[in-house]
């Protein structure tokens, strides 16, 4: 392939503001211009050989409802030929105290089926919903844990090609991984986030993700 033709993405990460911020972290936008090249060399395409990774993150995006991500995905996914997609959604849905963890799990499975069968993406990875240091209401993190357990259970009952994964170092809400807002990852958290997504993609590509 001539060097001036950019390869189409083969892997994608989609979701809410965490994904947008992860893409910015990978690009080194939080660093000075002098430090960006070395950072990009370390994180470019999540260091997955032969693959190109793209990020699609919408602030406040939900799995379903008024801020559901599906309408925005239609145009964005058209024309892409992805090997795998990582989905990070659900935390904003659960900010509504009336939303049930089981319904979030069901909606994520429906989204995964939509991506797997509708867009013929062979591997759909549902990432853990992240607990927060600053809960929007008391009991939020308990509902997140319940939702993750429900997702894991529903994935085990779902079609081949749909998976659930947790992120090492981010399974519990550690203050050292978060910005002062208690919601979003800092550089240390995004480093762990990038490593976790990279590991999930590699296991998917190797056929060892279960």
């Amino acid at each position: 392939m001539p060097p001036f033709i950019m390869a189409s993405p083969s892997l994608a990460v989609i979701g809410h503001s965490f994904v947008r911020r992860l893409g910015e972290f990978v690009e080194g936008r939080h660093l000075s211009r002098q430090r960006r090249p070395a950072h990009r060399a370390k994180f470019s395409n999540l260091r997955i050989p032969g693959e190109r990774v793209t990020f699609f993150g919408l602030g406040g995006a939900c799995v379903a409802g008024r801020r559901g991500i599906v309408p925005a995905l239609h145009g964005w996914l058209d024309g892409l030929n992805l090997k795998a997609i990582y989905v990070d959604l659900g935390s904003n849905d659960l900010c509504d105290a009336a939303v049930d963890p089981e319904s979030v799990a069901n909606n994520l499975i429906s989204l995964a089926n939509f991506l797997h069968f509708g867009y013929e993406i062979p591997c759909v990875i549902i990432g853990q919903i992240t607990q927060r240091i600053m809960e929007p209401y008391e009991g939020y993190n308990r509902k997140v844990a319940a939702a993750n357990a429900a997702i894991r259970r529903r994935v085990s009952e779902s079609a081949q090609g749909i998976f659930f994964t947790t992120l090492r170092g981010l399974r519990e809400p550690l203050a050292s991984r978060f910005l002062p807002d208690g919601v979003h990852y800092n550089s240390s958290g995004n480093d762990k986030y990038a490593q976790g997504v990279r590991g999930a993609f590699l296991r998917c590509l190797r056929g060892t993700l279960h």
Side-chain angles (χ1 to χ4, degrees):
M1 178 180 294
F4 55 87
I5 298 179
M6 184 174 289
S8 176
S10 54
L11 306 172
V13 186
I14 65 169
H16 42 54
S17 59
F18 279 43
V19 174
R20 174 179 56 79
R21 288 167 180 264
L22 178 61
E24 293 172 351
F25 172 79
V26 167
E27 287 293 313
R29 296 185 194 175
H30 60 298
L31 300 173
S32 66
R33 291 185 179 181
Q34 291 77 12
R35 296 176 61 191
R36 286 180 188 176
H39 181 90
R40 287 174 177 170
K42 178 181 178 182
F43 287 99
S44 178
N45 293 313
L46 301 178
R47 295 183 294 112
I48 302 175
E51 309 296 342
R52 182 174 168 227
V53 183
T54 188
F55 301 87
F56 183 79
L58 297 176
C62 295
V63 189
R66 184 173 59 86
R67 305 197 73 170
I69 199 171
V70 170
L73 287 176
H74 281 297
W76 187 79
L77 284 170
D78 290 344
L80 294 183
N81 185 22
L82 298 173
K83 297 178 182 178
I85 191 165
Y86 185 101
V87 179
D88 190 346
L89 287 166
S91 60
N92 290 324
D93 300 73
L94 290 171
C95 283
D96 182 347
V99 171
D100 178 66
E102 288 285 344
S103 68
V104 173
N106 290 339
N107 288 333
L108 277 166
I109 294 298
S110 294
L111 174 61
N113 282 320
F114 165 73
L115 296 169
H116 184 56
F117 295 106
Y119 280 92
E120 299 182 344
I121 301 173
C123 179
V124 179
I125 306 164
I126 303 174
Q128 69 176 44
I129 302 175
T130 301
Q131 297 184 8
R132 300 181 176 186
I133 299 296
M134 189 67 68
E135 297 179 273
Y137 54 85
E138 186 177 355
Y140 173 84
N141 283 343
R142 289 196 298 273
K143 290 183 72 172
V144 168
N148 283 330
I151 296 164
R152 186 186 295 277
R153 184 181 69 254
R154 289 298 313 280
V155 163
S156 70
E157 302 165 352
S158 298
Q160 291 185 346
I162 297 175
F163 305 93
F164 173 72
T165 191
T166 57
L167 300 172
R168 183 177 299 176
L170 297 173
R171 292 167 186 157
E172 301 294 332
L174 301 176
S176 61
R177 307 291 191 204
F178 285 81
L179 292 171
D181 67 5
V183 175
H184 299 99
Y185 295 139
N186 58 19
S187 292
S188 173
N190 274 316
D191 191 324
K192 288 292 185 183
Y193 188 17
Q195 291 181 44
V197 174
R198 175 181 184 269
F201 276 143
L202 286 173
R203 294 194 303 276
C204 172
L205 294 170
R206 295 167 181 165
T208 58
L209 184 62
H210 303 291

